[in-house]
Amino acid sequence: MEERHKNIKPIYDLVVKKVFRNEEVALQFVKDIFDLSAKSAKLIEGNQIFSANSNVETDFNIAVDILVELDNHAQVIIEVQLAKQVFFINRIWSYLCKQVNDNIERLKQTEKEKLAIYRKLPPVYVAAIVDQNYFDGEDPISTFLIKEETRNTELKMYVDNATKEMPLLKIVFLELKKYKPELKESYNKVRWLEFFGNKKYTSEPGEVIDRADDLLNVRNWTKEEQRMYDEITRQQDHYWASLAYAQEEGRAEGRAEGRAEGRAEGREEGRAEGIEEAIITLMKNGHISPEVAAAQLKLNIEELNKYL
């Protein structure tokens, strides 16, 4: 399917953050994806720009990719993921729990009464925009709530000054690779799949999406933003090219060893060893993070340490 932009990837970290720095765009995204009524949004976190090969341990404390706070007190974490990670959902949960805890600690400092802490505690939701599939089925948008097991009653919470109860928890996944032009979802949601998936719009996307698209014009970026994007692109291209090369080398080694020893398992062992070696080399050289390497090797971080 033809791409909307030839020279830019809307899902890259730097690009997503640039888009959501526009609070009107951030507000519309949250309203569309979470069906929330809000009149304004404020960007709390999301201005940080990191190099493509930033160290995972250094980045661990940066909290979330993007945090938006609405005028109805709800907070929305927006996370973007290019490569599939085994522990990505665990990571989302840790971010969500940390944000709730941070909110409690902040309210402890500002509220004298304990009941006020609970009364003013905002709900925290998560939107995960992912370039790899995580769930079975063909639906590109998956919404998770907390519901009673037999009655299907949704668990909600009261929020100070809100006119109605709000969901206690809401996590929405946008799986970009599942997008199809004939989707029956509300177009207010589908247009975001098209925007971040770099697809041609199948309907009139609206003024806010047009404004977001204008933010993807690299000619209007600062020199620092252009330099960072070029670095990210080089790192990503090198990663995928190296992985493809490793897979081919592994297949070649496997065939050669299989012929030499006359055993079929030689092909599999050679292929696996070649891929493993290339992934570990990419990690040691800083081209991919240990988390990405662990996901590719289907290991946890502790098991990965044996290669170091």
Side-chain angles (χ1 to χ4, degrees):
M1 186 178 296
E2 186 179 356
E3 294 184 336
R4 201 172 65 257
H5 294 278
K6 301 295 184 184
N7 300 314
I8 195 167
K9 299 293 184 184
I11 196 175
Y12 278 0
D13 177 80
L14 182 151
V15 184
V16 173
K17 287 180 177 176
K18 185 170 182 64
V19 167
F20 284 124
R21 281 183 211 145
N22 185 304
E23 293 180 349
E24 188 175 355
V25 173
L27 173 63
Q28 192 62 58
F29 173 81
V30 169
K31 289 173 67 175
D32 288 347
I33 298 303
F34 290 91
D35 298 315
L36 292 175
S37 59
K39 296 180 180 178
S40 64
K42 180 171 62 175
L43 185 66
I44 306 299
E45 292 186 36
N47 289 312
Q48 313 99 322
I49 297 177
F50 300 99
S51 61
N53 60 347
S54 294
N55 182 269
V56 169
E57 293 301 318
T58 302
D59 288 353
F60 185 78
N61 293 319
I62 68 172
V64 299
D65 283 349
I66 297 158
L67 177 63
V68 176
E69 186 171 83
L70 307 180
D71 60 347
N72 62 5
H73 305 296
Q75 296 176 336
V76 177
I77 295 169
I78 303 174
E79 284 293 312
V80 180
Q81 195 62 41
L82 287 169
K84 187 171 183 177
Q85 294 183 356
V86 175
F87 303 113
F88 181 54
I89 295 176
N90 306 45
R91 183 175 173 179
I92 284 177
W93 182 243
S94 68
Y95 285 161
L96 192 152
C97 292
K98 181 179 183 301
Q99 186 59 38
V100 172
N101 185 69
D102 288 350
N103 289 333
I104 293 173
E105 294 301 319
R106 173 177 52 82
L107 289 168
K108 282 181 180 179
Q109 300 300 318
T110 58
E111 302 298 328
K112 295 181 180 180
E113 298 181 6
K114 288 184 178 180
L115 287 178
I117 295 174
Y118 300 113
R119 188 176 71 247
K120 295 186 177 183
L121 186 66
V124 180
Y125 307 133
V126 180
I129 306 170
V130 296
D131 203 34
Q132 300 293 327
N133 296 339
Y134 279 81
F135 308 109
D136 295 333
E138 298 182 357
D139 293 335
I141 301 177
S142 300
T143 301
F144 296 88
L145 305 164
I146 296 180
K147 291 190 176 184
E148 201 282 329
E149 187 173 13
T150 58
R151 297 189 301 276
N152 204 36
T153 304
E154 184 182 350
L155 197 61
K156 295 187 176 183
M157 64 184 290
Y158 286 100
V159 181
D160 193 35
N161 296 326
T163 57
K164 60 181 181 180
E165 295 175 291
M166 300 181 68
L168 180 65
L169 176 70
K170 205 168 191 179
I171 301 176
V172 180
F173 279 80
L174 281 71
E175 297 175 282
L176 300 181
K177 285 197 176 345
K178 290 182 179 178
Y179 168 79
K180 296 178 182 178
E182 62 272 16
L183 285 171
K184 302 301 182 185
E185 286 266 8
S186 163
Y187 191 66
N188 279 357
K189 298 179 187 292
V190 171
R191 59 184 178 173
W192 292 104
L193 292 170
E194 293 173 340
F195 176 81
F196 287 111
N198 205 16
K199 309 298 184 185
K200 293 290 185 180
Y201 296 118
T202 53
S203 186
E204 178 56 47
E207 183 179 343
V208 173
I209 302 293
D210 288 339
R211 188 173 298 116
D213 248 339
D214 288 340
L215 295 171
L216 304 184
N217 188 344
V218 180
R219 290 177 296 180
N220 297 330
W221 290 15
T222 65
K223 289 183 178 179
E224 174 67 6
E225 289 173 331
Q226 292 180 26
R227 184 189 68 77
M228 290 296 297
Y229 183 78
D230 288 343
E231 179 187 351
I232 291 171
T233 302
R234 285 195 299 271
Q235 295 285 352
Q236 290 292 336
D237 289 346
H238 178 75
Y239 164 63
W240 293 116
S242 298
L243 189 58
Y245 175 77
Q247 291 171 335
E248 184 56 39
E249 284 291 292
R251 283 191 287 268
E253 280 189 35
R255 287 192 294 269
E257 187 174 339
R259 285 193 298 270
E261 299 181 7
R263 297 198 310 266
E265 60 264 32
R267 290 193 294 271
E268 295 301 323
E269 291 174 3
R271 181 186 303 118
E273 289 173 3
I275 294 174
E276 286 178 2
E277 183 179 347
I279 291 174
I280 296 302
T281 300
L282 286 172
M283 182 187 69
K284 288 181 176 179
N285 291 338
H287 296 306
I288 62 175
S289 69
E291 192 174 24
V292 171
Q296 292 289 338
L297 295 171
K298 297 182 179 180
L299 302 172
N300 59 40
I301 296 298
E302 289 73 19
E303 292 171 332
L304 183 67
N305 289 334
K306 71 180 183 180
Y307 290 96
L308 304 180

